Amino acid sequence: MRASISTTVNRQAWDREARLALPHDRPMAPGRVEWTQYPGHGPSTELFGDVNGLTVAELGCGNGDNLAPLAARGAHCVGVDLAPTQISRARIRWGHLPIQFHCGDARVFLTRTRPLDICFSIFGAIGLCPPEQLLPLIAQQLRPGGRLLFSVPDPTWLGPRRALMRLADGSHVPVARWLSGLEGWKAAVNAAGLHHRHVDSILTPDGDATCCLLVRAQKPAAERDG
């Protein structure tokens, strides 16, 4: 599937998902960062460390829930999402926090934003657009020593659902995904000029299958003169 077609498909899918949830949105209080498909399961904000004063961007931020805990800890947060209604939801839920939300393609955003200390994606842009296009842009925009963290669904967990997403009303919409296993994501991260630090398989709450892959990488620090 061509990148332009996949962009349209994914924008329509997540916009439709957001329209179903929009009537129920209201201002919220920050919770935890959810890296997996199961709320309350797996790691949370501890993966970021101290974010006070750092510039943090989420690519494919959806309703903004995963940015809010970082903003509450003093990070300068920016969220970008392809779907306009997702950004509308995020502004309703988190307009009382100092988070900048932008509607647009993450690849375009990365060519225009200021340097980033941390970039992350949770079932977001990474995995939903071509990684050979997105990952090098992330590497370019990170400051030396900056970090990339992302989670993506495990291909076996998705199974035949990889090309469809089930919505809250029971309907299904097509989606375009770029799936890989642990070794594939390691190779993609390294090819982009980043160093993978941790690549983990996260099990489902009952422990009988892998639900997602969690990747942590870092841009090499600048070499000192002399």
Side-chain angles (χ1 to χ4, degrees):
M1 183 180 292
R2 296 201 309 271
S4 59
I5 297 175
S6 66
T7 297
T8 300
V9 167
N10 286 340
R11 181 190 295 114
Q12 291 174 343
W14 269 269
D15 211 50
R16 184 170 167 184
E17 178 194 53
R19 285 197 300 272
L20 292 172
L22 185 63
H24 309 290
D25 281 316
R26 64 191 188 281
M28 304 286 289
R32 72 193 304 273
V33 174
E34 299 285 2
W35 292 98
T36 81
Q37 302 94 320
Y38 302 94
H41 177 62
S44 184
T45 52
E46 68 271 12
L47 295 188
F48 292 94
D50 183 7
V51 297
N52 185 42
L54 299 184
T55 300
V56 180
E58 183 179 9
L59 307 180
C61 65
N63 61 20
D65 286 3
N66 289 315
L67 276 170
L70 305 178
R73 288 164 172 76
H76 304 295
C77 290
V78 183
V80 59
D81 201 280
L82 195 63
T85 312
Q86 290 285 20
I87 293 299
S88 296
R89 295 191 64 206
R91 288 172 176 159
I92 291 171
R93 295 166 77 87
W94 306 111
H96 55 289
L97 293 182
I99 304 174
Q100 299 177 35
F101 290 108
H102 301 281
C103 182
D105 191 303
R107 291 163 290 187
V108 176
F109 167 80
L110 288 166
T111 66
R112 299 174 178 174
T113 190
R114 57 182 171 171
L116 304 171
D117 296 298
I118 299 175
C119 187
F120 75 102
S121 171
I122 299 177
F123 308 116
I126 298 179
L128 294 173
C129 70
E132 70 276 9
Q133 296 177 9
L134 184 61
L135 293 176
L137 291 172
I138 294 172
Q140 181 178 344
Q141 204 58 34
L142 284 173
R143 300 183 192 276
R147 290 175 288 151
L148 168 65
L149 304 88
F150 66 90
S151 61
V152 290
D154 182 80
T156 59
W157 183 86
L158 280 171
R161 299 169 296 174
R162 63 184 59 202
L164 291 173
M165 180 171 68
R166 187 178 186 275
L167 302 181
D169 63 0
S171 63
H172 292 80
V173 292
V175 295
R177 301 183 192 272
W178 278 260
L179 299 171
S180 183
L182 289 179
E183 294 304 318
W185 284 114
K186 284 182 185 179
V189 164
N190 292 339
L194 301 171
H195 292 165
H196 70 269
R197 298 300 186 192
H198 300 276
V199 184
D200 302 309
S201 299
I202 308 297
L203 298 178
T204 57
D206 57 16
D208 66 349
T210 298
C211 62
C212 70
L213 309 176
L214 178 57
V215 180
R216 286 175 277 174
Q218 189 168 26
K219 183 172 180 174
E223 295 184 1
R224 296 182 178 180
D225 295 334

PDB file of all heavy atoms in Angstrom, residues 98-134:
ATOM      1  N   PRO A  98      -0.489  22.575  30.108  1.00  0.00           N
ATOM      2  CA  PRO A  98       0.351  23.234  29.087  1.00  0.00           C
ATOM      3  C   PRO A  98       0.904  22.248  28.057  1.00  0.00           C
ATOM      4  O   PRO A  98       2.109  21.996  27.993  1.00  0.00           O
ATOM      5  CB  PRO A  98       1.464  23.870  29.915  1.00  0.00           C
ATOM      6  CG  PRO A  98       1.614  22.952  31.098  1.00  0.00           C
ATOM      7  CD  PRO A  98       0.210  22.484  31.410  1.00  0.00           C
ATOM      8  N   ILE A  99      -0.008  21.674  27.259  1.00  0.00           N
ATOM      9  CA  ILE A  99       0.380  20.744  26.209  1.00  0.00           C
ATOM     10  C   ILE A  99      -0.007  21.355  24.869  1.00  0.00           C
ATOM     11  O   ILE A  99      -1.124  21.840  24.702  1.00  0.00           O
ATOM     12  CB  ILE A  99      -0.321  19.378  26.362  1.00  0.00           C
ATOM     13  CG1 ILE A  99      -0.053  18.776  27.743  1.00  0.00           C
ATOM     14  CG2 ILE A  99       0.137  18.422  25.265  1.00  0.00           C
ATOM     15  CD1 ILE A  99      -0.824  17.496  28.008  1.00  0.00           C
ATOM     16  N   GLN A 100       0.912  21.329  23.914  1.00  0.00           N
ATOM     17  CA  GLN A 100       0.606  21.790  22.563  1.00  0.00           C
ATOM     18  C   GLN A 100       0.147  20.591  21.730  1.00  0.00           C
ATOM     19  O   GLN A 100       0.858  19.592  21.645  1.00  0.00           O
ATOM     20  CB  GLN A 100       1.842  22.414  21.920  1.00  0.00           C
ATOM     21  CG  GLN A 100       2.396  23.625  22.635  1.00  0.00           C
ATOM     22  CD  GLN A 100       3.652  24.138  21.965  1.00  0.00           C
ATOM     23  OE1 GLN A 100       3.789  24.098  20.747  1.00  0.00           O
ATOM     24  NE2 GLN A 100       4.586  24.600  22.769  1.00  0.00           N
ATOM     25  N   PHE A 101      -1.010  20.719  21.110  1.00  0.00           N
ATOM     26  CA  PHE A 101      -1.515  19.660  20.250  1.00  0.00           C
ATOM     27  C   PHE A 101      -1.573  20.157  18.812  1.00  0.00           C
ATOM     28  O   PHE A 101      -2.061  21.256  18.537  1.00  0.00           O
ATOM     29  CB  PHE A 101      -2.908  19.214  20.697  1.00  0.00           C
ATOM     30  CG  PHE A 101      -2.920  18.464  22.002  1.00  0.00           C
ATOM     31  CD1 PHE A 101      -3.430  19.048  23.152  1.00  0.00           C
ATOM     32  CD2 PHE A 101      -2.413  17.175  22.073  1.00  0.00           C
ATOM     33  CE1 PHE A 101      -3.436  18.360  24.356  1.00  0.00           C
ATOM     34  CE2 PHE A 101      -2.411  16.476  23.277  1.00  0.00           C
ATOM     35  CZ  PHE A 101      -2.928  17.071  24.420  1.00  0.00           C
ATOM     36  N   HIS A 102      -1.072  19.323  17.887  1.00  0.00           N
ATOM     37  CA  HIS A 102      -1.043  19.664  16.473  1.00  0.00           C
ATOM     38  C   HIS A 102      -1.682  18.543  15.670  1.00  0.00           C
ATOM     39  O   HIS A 102      -1.428  17.368  15.928  1.00  0.00           O
ATOM     40  CB  HIS A 102       0.397  19.857  15.982  1.00  0.00           C
ATOM     41  CG  HIS A 102       1.140  20.934  16.704  1.00  0.00           C
ATOM     42  ND1 HIS A 102       0.981  22.265  16.425  1.00  0.00           N
ATOM     43  CD2 HIS A 102       2.057  20.862  17.705  1.00  0.00           C
ATOM     44  CE1 HIS A 102       1.766  22.985  17.215  1.00  0.00           C
ATOM     45  NE2 HIS A 102       2.415  22.152  18.004  1.00  0.00           N
ATOM     46  N   CYS A 103      -2.482  18.912  14.683  1.00  0.00           N
ATOM     47  CA  CYS A 103      -3.062  17.931  13.776  1.00  0.00           C
ATOM     48  C   CYS A 103      -2.219  17.873  12.513  1.00  0.00           C
ATOM     49  O   CYS A 103      -1.997  18.899  11.853  1.00  0.00           O
ATOM     50  CB  CYS A 103      -4.492  18.311  13.425  1.00  0.00           C
ATOM     51  SG  CYS A 103      -5.306  17.116  12.342  1.00  0.00           S
ATOM     52  N   GLY A 104      -1.729  16.680  12.188  1.00  0.00           N
ATOM     53  CA  GLY A 104      -0.942  16.539  10.981  1.00  0.00           C
ATOM     54  C   GLY A 104      -0.150  15.251  10.968  1.00  0.00           C
ATOM     55  O   GLY A 104      -0.191  14.447  11.907  1.00  0.00           O
ATOM     56  N   ASP A 105       0.571  15.052   9.893  1.00  0.00           N
ATOM     57  CA  ASP A 105       1.416  13.879   9.694  1.00  0.00           C
ATOM     58  C   ASP A 105       2.678  14.024  10.539  1.00  0.00           C
ATOM     59  O   ASP A 105       3.337  15.067  10.525  1.00  0.00           O
ATOM     60  CB  ASP A 105       1.770  13.781   8.206  1.00  0.00           C
ATOM     61  CG  ASP A 105       2.420  12.466   7.849  1.00  0.00           C
ATOM     62  OD1 ASP A 105       3.465  12.126   8.449  1.00  0.00           O
ATOM     63  OD2 ASP A 105       1.908  11.779   6.947  1.00  0.00           O
ATOM     64  N   ALA A 106       3.022  12.985  11.272  1.00  0.00           N
ATOM     65  CA  ALA A 106       4.200  13.032  12.138  1.00  0.00           C
ATOM     66  C   ALA A 106       5.468  13.325  11.355  1.00  0.00           C
ATOM     67  O   ALA A 106       6.383  13.991  11.859  1.00  0.00           O
ATOM     68  CB  ALA A 106       4.340  11.717  12.893  1.00  0.00           C
ATOM     69  N   ARG A 107       5.534  12.844  10.112  1.00  0.00           N
ATOM     70  CA  ARG A 107       6.741  13.074   9.311  1.00  0.00           C
ATOM     71  C   ARG A 107       6.905  14.549   8.977  1.00  0.00           C
ATOM     72  O   ARG A 107       8.029  15.077   9.006  1.00  0.00           O
ATOM     73  CB  ARG A 107       6.672  12.224   8.040  1.00  0.00           C
ATOM     74  CG  ARG A 107       6.796  10.727   8.296  1.00  0.00           C
ATOM     75  CD  ARG A 107       6.318   9.907   7.123  1.00  0.00           C
ATOM     76  NE  ARG A 107       4.862  10.003   6.975  1.00  0.00           N
ATOM     77  CZ  ARG A 107       4.160   9.272   6.113  1.00  0.00           C
ATOM     78  NH1 ARG A 107       4.784   8.387   5.331  1.00  0.00           N
ATOM     79  NH2 ARG A 107       2.849   9.398   6.030  1.00  0.00           N
ATOM     80  N   VAL A 108       5.811  15.220   8.693  1.00  0.00           N
ATOM     81  CA  VAL A 108       5.873  16.659   8.434  1.00  0.00           C
ATOM     82  C   VAL A 108       6.203  17.408   9.722  1.00  0.00           C
ATOM     83  O   VAL A 108       7.032  18.334   9.731  1.00  0.00           O
ATOM     84  CB  VAL A 108       4.546  17.154   7.835  1.00  0.00           C
ATOM     85  CG1 VAL A 108       4.559  18.671   7.646  1.00  0.00           C
ATOM     86  CG2 VAL A 108       4.271  16.455   6.512  1.00  0.00           C
ATOM     87  N   PHE A 109       5.559  17.024  10.812  1.00  0.00           N
ATOM     88  CA  PHE A 109       5.822  17.649  12.111  1.00  0.00           C
ATOM     89  C   PHE A 109       7.301  17.614  12.459  1.00  0.00           C
ATOM     90  O   PHE A 109       7.870  18.604  12.935  1.00  0.00           O
ATOM     91  CB  PHE A 109       5.003  16.929  13.184  1.00  0.00           C
ATOM     92  CG  PHE A 109       5.399  17.256  14.593  1.00  0.00           C
ATOM     93  CD1 PHE A 109       4.974  18.421  15.199  1.00  0.00           C
ATOM     94  CD2 PHE A 109       6.205  16.376  15.311  1.00  0.00           C
ATOM     95  CE1 PHE A 109       5.339  18.715  16.501  1.00  0.00           C
ATOM     96  CE2 PHE A 109       6.579  16.659  16.618  1.00  0.00           C
ATOM     97  CZ  PHE A 109       6.154  17.833  17.211  1.00  0.00           C
ATOM     98  N   LEU A 110       7.945  16.476  12.211  1.00  0.00           N
ATOM     99  CA  LEU A 110       9.354  16.328  12.589  1.00  0.00           C
ATOM    100  C   LEU A 110      10.293  17.200  11.763  1.00  0.00           C
ATOM    101  O   LEU A 110      11.415  17.461  12.186  1.00  0.00           O
ATOM    102  CB  LEU A 110       9.765  14.862  12.467  1.00  0.00           C
ATOM    103  CG  LEU A 110       9.172  13.937  13.544  1.00  0.00           C
ATOM    104  CD1 LEU A 110       9.358  12.482  13.151  1.00  0.00           C
ATOM    105  CD2 LEU A 110       9.805  14.212  14.906  1.00  0.00           C
ATOM    106  N   THR A 111       9.861  17.651  10.617  1.00  0.00           N
ATOM    107  CA  THR A 111      10.705  18.550   9.820  1.00  0.00           C
ATOM    108  C   THR A 111      10.568  20.001  10.265  1.00  0.00           C
ATOM    109  O   THR A 111      11.331  20.853   9.811  1.00  0.00           O
ATOM    110  CB  THR A 111      10.356  18.458   8.322  1.00  0.00           C
ATOM    111  OG1 THR A 111       9.028  18.955   8.105  1.00  0.00           O
ATOM    112  CG2 THR A 111      10.465  17.029   7.828  1.00  0.00           C
ATOM    113  N   ARG A 112       9.611  20.270  11.158  1.00  0.00           N
ATOM    114  CA  ARG A 112       9.318  21.658  11.528  1.00  0.00           C
ATOM    115  C   ARG A 112       9.471  21.959  13.011  1.00  0.00           C
ATOM    116  O   ARG A 112       9.525  23.123  13.409  1.00  0.00           O
ATOM    117  CB  ARG A 112       7.883  22.010  11.101  1.00  0.00           C
ATOM    118  CG  ARG A 112       7.644  21.895   9.607  1.00  0.00           C
ATOM    119  CD  ARG A 112       6.183  22.122   9.261  1.00  0.00           C
ATOM    120  NE  ARG A 112       5.962  22.061   7.813  1.00  0.00           N
ATOM    121  CZ  ARG A 112       4.769  22.104   7.248  1.00  0.00           C
ATOM    122  NH1 ARG A 112       3.680  22.224   8.006  1.00  0.00           N
ATOM    123  NH2 ARG A 112       4.652  22.043   5.932  1.00  0.00           N
ATOM    124  N   THR A 113       9.500  20.927  13.836  1.00  0.00           N
ATOM    125  CA  THR A 113       9.529  21.149  15.269  1.00  0.00           C
ATOM    126  C   THR A 113      10.934  21.466  15.759  1.00  0.00           C
ATOM    127  O   THR A 113      11.929  21.239  15.067  1.00  0.00           O
ATOM    128  CB  THR A 113       8.973  19.920  16.013  1.00  0.00           C
ATOM    129  OG1 THR A 113       8.794  20.247  17.399  1.00  0.00           O
ATOM    130  CG2 THR A 113       9.942  18.736  15.908  1.00  0.00           C
ATOM    131  N   ARG A 114      11.017  21.965  16.981  1.00  0.00           N
ATOM    132  CA  ARG A 114      12.320  22.231  17.606  1.00  0.00           C
ATOM    133  C   ARG A 114      12.952  20.907  18.034  1.00  0.00           C
ATOM    134  O   ARG A 114      12.276  19.877  18.108  1.00  0.00           O
ATOM    135  CB  ARG A 114      12.133  23.151  18.812  1.00  0.00           C
ATOM    136  CG  ARG A 114      11.178  22.604  19.859  1.00  0.00           C
ATOM    137  CD  ARG A 114      11.007  23.576  20.999  1.00  0.00           C
ATOM    138  NE  ARG A 114       9.933  23.173  21.901  1.00  0.00           N
ATOM    139  CZ  ARG A 114       9.698  23.758  23.075  1.00  0.00           C
ATOM    140  NH1 ARG A 114      10.460  24.759  23.477  1.00  0.00           N
ATOM    141  NH2 ARG A 114       8.700  23.342  23.840  1.00  0.00           N
ATOM    142  N   PRO A 115      14.239  20.915  18.357  1.00  0.00           N
ATOM    143  CA  PRO A 115      14.888  19.674  18.799  1.00  0.00           C
ATOM    144  C   PRO A 115      14.192  19.071  20.024  1.00  0.00           C
ATOM    145  O   PRO A 115      13.693  19.790  20.888  1.00  0.00           O
ATOM    146  CB  PRO A 115      16.315  20.125  19.129  1.00  0.00           C
ATOM    147  CG  PRO A 115      16.532  21.323  18.256  1.00  0.00           C
ATOM    148  CD  PRO A 115      15.205  22.012  18.204  1.00  0.00           C
ATOM    149  N   LEU A 116      14.184  17.747  20.075  1.00  0.00           N
ATOM    150  CA  LEU A 116      13.458  17.025  21.110  1.00  0.00           C
ATOM    151  C   LEU A 116      14.415  16.276  22.017  1.00  0.00           C
ATOM    152  O   LEU A 116      15.430  15.731  21.566  1.00  0.00           O
ATOM    153  CB  LEU A 116      12.494  16.022  20.472  1.00  0.00           C
ATOM    154  CG  LEU A 116      11.482  16.593  19.469  1.00  0.00           C
ATOM    155  CD1 LEU A 116      10.761  15.449  18.754  1.00  0.00           C
ATOM    156  CD2 LEU A 116      10.488  17.506  20.177  1.00  0.00           C
ATOM    157  N   ASP A 117      14.057  16.217  23.301  1.00  0.00           N
ATOM    158  CA  ASP A 117      14.812  15.389  24.250  1.00  0.00           C
ATOM    159  C   ASP A 117      14.295  13.954  24.256  1.00  0.00           C
ATOM    160  O   ASP A 117      15.078  13.003  24.386  1.00  0.00           O
ATOM    161  CB  ASP A 117      14.705  15.976  25.663  1.00  0.00           C
ATOM    162  CG  ASP A 117      15.335  17.353  25.770  1.00  0.00           C
ATOM    163  OD1 ASP A 117      16.553  17.461  25.546  1.00  0.00           O
ATOM    164  OD2 ASP A 117      14.592  18.315  26.059  1.00  0.00           O
ATOM    165  N   ILE A 118      12.984  13.811  24.146  1.00  0.00           N
ATOM    166  CA  ILE A 118      12.359  12.486  24.138  1.00  0.00           C
ATOM    167  C   ILE A 118      11.260  12.479  23.083  1.00  0.00           C
ATOM    168  O   ILE A 118      10.472  13.422  22.988  1.00  0.00           O
ATOM    169  CB  ILE A 118      11.746  12.120  25.504  1.00  0.00           C
ATOM    170  CG1 ILE A 118      12.825  12.093  26.600  1.00  0.00           C
ATOM    171  CG2 ILE A 118      11.033  10.767  25.444  1.00  0.00           C
ATOM    172  CD1 ILE A 118      12.262  11.857  28.000  1.00  0.00           C
ATOM    173  N   CYS A 119      11.208  11.416  22.311  1.00  0.00           N
ATOM    174  CA  CYS A 119      10.128  11.187  21.362  1.00  0.00           C
ATOM    175  C   CYS A 119       9.539   9.815  21.682  1.00  0.00           C
ATOM    176  O   CYS A 119      10.294   8.868  21.942  1.00  0.00           O
ATOM    177  CB  CYS A 119      10.665  11.227  19.940  1.00  0.00           C
ATOM    178  SG  CYS A 119       9.391  11.163  18.671  1.00  0.00           S
ATOM    179  N   PHE A 120       8.203   9.721  21.718  1.00  0.00           N
ATOM    180  CA  PHE A 120       7.621   8.410  21.987  1.00  0.00           C
ATOM    181  C   PHE A 120       6.361   8.202  21.169  1.00  0.00           C
ATOM    182  O   PHE A 120       5.751   9.137  20.647  1.00  0.00           O
ATOM    183  CB  PHE A 120       7.374   8.207  23.485  1.00  0.00           C
ATOM    184  CG  PHE A 120       6.209   8.943  24.095  1.00  0.00           C
ATOM    185  CD1 PHE A 120       5.024   8.290  24.369  1.00  0.00           C
ATOM    186  CD2 PHE A 120       6.312  10.295  24.429  1.00  0.00           C
ATOM    187  CE1 PHE A 120       3.952   8.950  24.955  1.00  0.00           C
ATOM    188  CE2 PHE A 120       5.248  10.962  25.017  1.00  0.00           C
ATOM    189  CZ  PHE A 120       4.064  10.295  25.282  1.00  0.00           C
ATOM    190  N   SER A 121       5.990   6.933  21.056  1.00  0.00           N
ATOM    191  CA  SER A 121       4.814   6.520  20.292  1.00  0.00           C
ATOM    192  C   SER A 121       4.257   5.267  20.943  1.00  0.00           C
ATOM    193  O   SER A 121       5.001   4.308  21.173  1.00  0.00           O
ATOM    194  CB  SER A 121       5.204   6.247  18.832  1.00  0.00           C
ATOM    195  OG  SER A 121       4.142   5.653  18.119  1.00  0.00           O
ATOM    196  N   ILE A 122       2.968   5.305  21.257  1.00  0.00           N
ATOM    197  CA  ILE A 122       2.307   4.158  21.869  1.00  0.00           C
ATOM    198  C   ILE A 122       1.171   3.727  20.949  1.00  0.00           C
ATOM    199  O   ILE A 122       0.128   4.388  20.889  1.00  0.00           O
ATOM    200  CB  ILE A 122       1.786   4.501  23.283  1.00  0.00           C
ATOM    201  CG1 ILE A 122       2.955   4.894  24.190  1.00  0.00           C
ATOM    202  CG2 ILE A 122       1.005   3.324  23.863  1.00  0.00           C
ATOM    203  CD1 ILE A 122       2.545   5.327  25.586  1.00  0.00           C
ATOM    204  N   PHE A 123       1.403   2.674  20.163  1.00  0.00           N
ATOM    205  CA  PHE A 123       0.462   2.266  19.123  1.00  0.00           C
ATOM    206  C   PHE A 123       0.099   3.464  18.252  1.00  0.00           C
ATOM    207  O   PHE A 123      -1.045   3.624  17.831  1.00  0.00           O
ATOM    208  CB  PHE A 123      -0.793   1.626  19.725  1.00  0.00           C
ATOM    209  CG  PHE A 123      -0.487   0.520  20.699  1.00  0.00           C
ATOM    210  CD1 PHE A 123      -0.824   0.634  22.036  1.00  0.00           C
ATOM    211  CD2 PHE A 123       0.173  -0.614  20.289  1.00  0.00           C
ATOM    212  CE1 PHE A 123      -0.523  -0.375  22.944  1.00  0.00           C
ATOM    213  CE2 PHE A 123       0.477  -1.635  21.181  1.00  0.00           C
ATOM    214  CZ  PHE A 123       0.133  -1.509  22.515  1.00  0.00           C
ATOM    215  N   GLY A 124       1.081   4.312  18.002  1.00  0.00           N
ATOM    216  CA  GLY A 124       0.869   5.547  17.272  1.00  0.00           C
ATOM    217  C   GLY A 124       1.530   5.525  15.914  1.00  0.00           C
ATOM    218  O   GLY A 124       1.440   4.542  15.176  1.00  0.00           O
ATOM    219  N   ALA A 125       2.229   6.637  15.611  1.00  0.00           N
ATOM    220  CA  ALA A 125       2.792   6.790  14.267  1.00  0.00           C
ATOM    221  C   ALA A 125       3.792   5.684  13.932  1.00  0.00           C
ATOM    222  O   ALA A 125       3.866   5.234  12.787  1.00  0.00           O
ATOM    223  CB  ALA A 125       3.446   8.165  14.133  1.00  0.00           C
ATOM    224  N   ILE A 126       4.585   5.270  14.925  1.00  0.00           N
ATOM    225  CA  ILE A 126       5.501   4.159  14.675  1.00  0.00           C
ATOM    226  C   ILE A 126       4.678   2.873  14.609  1.00  0.00           C
ATOM    227  O   ILE A 126       4.033   2.487  15.572  1.00  0.00           O
ATOM    228  CB  ILE A 126       6.577   4.059  15.762  1.00  0.00           C
ATOM    229  CG1 ILE A 126       7.430   5.323  15.783  1.00  0.00           C
ATOM    230  CG2 ILE A 126       7.461   2.824  15.541  1.00  0.00           C
ATOM    231  CD1 ILE A 126       8.508   5.337  16.851  1.00  0.00           C
ATOM    232  N   GLY A 127       4.687   2.253  13.475  1.00  0.00           N
ATOM    233  CA  GLY A 127       3.849   1.092  13.220  1.00  0.00           C
ATOM    234  C   GLY A 127       2.660   1.406  12.340  1.00  0.00           C
ATOM    235  O   GLY A 127       2.021   0.498  11.826  1.00  0.00           O
ATOM    236  N   LEU A 128       2.382   2.711  12.157  1.00  0.00           N
ATOM    237  CA  LEU A 128       1.259   3.098  11.315  1.00  0.00           C
ATOM    238  C   LEU A 128       1.686   3.919  10.106  1.00  0.00           C
ATOM    239  O   LEU A 128       0.836   4.391   9.350  1.00  0.00           O
ATOM    240  CB  LEU A 128       0.218   3.882  12.131  1.00  0.00           C
ATOM    241  CG  LEU A 128      -0.482   3.061  13.225  1.00  0.00           C
ATOM    242  CD1 LEU A 128      -1.357   3.968  14.077  1.00  0.00           C
ATOM    243  CD2 LEU A 128      -1.320   1.935  12.614  1.00  0.00           C
ATOM    244  N   CYS A 129       2.977   4.126   9.948  1.00  0.00           N
ATOM    245  CA  CYS A 129       3.514   4.713   8.715  1.00  0.00           C
ATOM    246  C   CYS A 129       4.876   4.072   8.465  1.00  0.00           C
ATOM    247  O   CYS A 129       5.443   3.433   9.362  1.00  0.00           O
ATOM    248  CB  CYS A 129       3.575   6.232   8.782  1.00  0.00           C
ATOM    249  SG  CYS A 129       4.788   6.914   9.887  1.00  0.00           S
ATOM    250  N   PRO A 130       5.419   4.188   7.266  1.00  0.00           N
ATOM    251  CA  PRO A 130       6.640   3.441   6.933  1.00  0.00           C
ATOM    252  C   PRO A 130       7.806   3.785   7.866  1.00  0.00           C
ATOM    253  O   PRO A 130       8.213   4.946   7.943  1.00  0.00           O
ATOM    254  CB  PRO A 130       6.925   3.877   5.492  1.00  0.00           C
ATOM    255  CG  PRO A 130       5.606   4.304   4.945  1.00  0.00           C
ATOM    256  CD  PRO A 130       4.883   4.920   6.093  1.00  0.00           C
ATOM    257  N   PRO A 131       8.340   2.813   8.588  1.00  0.00           N
ATOM    258  CA  PRO A 131       9.422   3.113   9.533  1.00  0.00           C
ATOM    259  C   PRO A 131      10.680   3.631   8.868  1.00  0.00           C
ATOM    260  O   PRO A 131      11.423   4.413   9.484  1.00  0.00           O
ATOM    261  CB  PRO A 131       9.669   1.769  10.234  1.00  0.00           C
ATOM    262  CG  PRO A 131       9.078   0.746   9.326  1.00  0.00           C
ATOM    263  CD  PRO A 131       7.945   1.398   8.629  1.00  0.00           C
ATOM    264  N   GLU A 132      10.930   3.243   7.609  1.00  0.00           N
ATOM    265  CA  GLU A 132      12.135   3.734   6.942  1.00  0.00           C
ATOM    266  C   GLU A 132      12.025   5.220   6.619  1.00  0.00           C
ATOM    267  O   GLU A 132      13.043   5.881   6.367  1.00  0.00           O
ATOM    268  CB  GLU A 132      12.404   2.933   5.658  1.00  0.00           C
ATOM    269  CG  GLU A 132      11.418   3.167   4.529  1.00  0.00           C
ATOM    270  CD  GLU A 132      10.161   2.324   4.622  1.00  0.00           C
ATOM    271  OE1 GLU A 132       9.963   1.655   5.662  1.00  0.00           O
ATOM    272  OE2 GLU A 132       9.382   2.318   3.651  1.00  0.00           O
ATOM    273  N   GLN A 133      10.819   5.761   6.661  1.00  0.00           N
ATOM    274  CA  GLN A 133      10.618   7.202   6.507  1.00  0.00           C
ATOM    275  C   GLN A 133      10.618   7.912   7.857  1.00  0.00           C
ATOM    276  O   GLN A 133      11.226   8.969   8.010  1.00  0.00           O
ATOM    277  CB  GLN A 133       9.295   7.485   5.794  1.00  0.00           C
ATOM    278  CG  GLN A 133       9.226   6.974   4.368  1.00  0.00           C
ATOM    279  CD  GLN A 133       7.862   7.221   3.742  1.00  0.00           C
ATOM    280  OE1 GLN A 133       7.020   7.919   4.306  1.00  0.00           O
ATOM    281  NE2 GLN A 133       7.636   6.643   2.568  1.00  0.00           N
ATOM    282  N   LEU A 134       9.927   7.338   8.835  1.00  0.00           N
ATOM    283  CA  LEU A 134       9.720   8.016  10.110  1.00  0.00           C
ATOM    284  C   LEU A 134      10.933   7.972  11.033  1.00  0.00           C
ATOM    285  O   LEU A 134      11.320   8.994  11.622  1.00  0.00           O
ATOM    286  CB  LEU A 134       8.511   7.403  10.812  1.00  0.00           C
ATOM    287  CG  LEU A 134       8.085   8.061  12.127  1.00  0.00           C
ATOM    288  CD1 LEU A 134       7.702   9.514  11.910  1.00  0.00           C
ATOM    289  CD2 LEU A 134       6.939   7.290  12.765  1.00  0.00           C
TER     290      LEU A 134
END
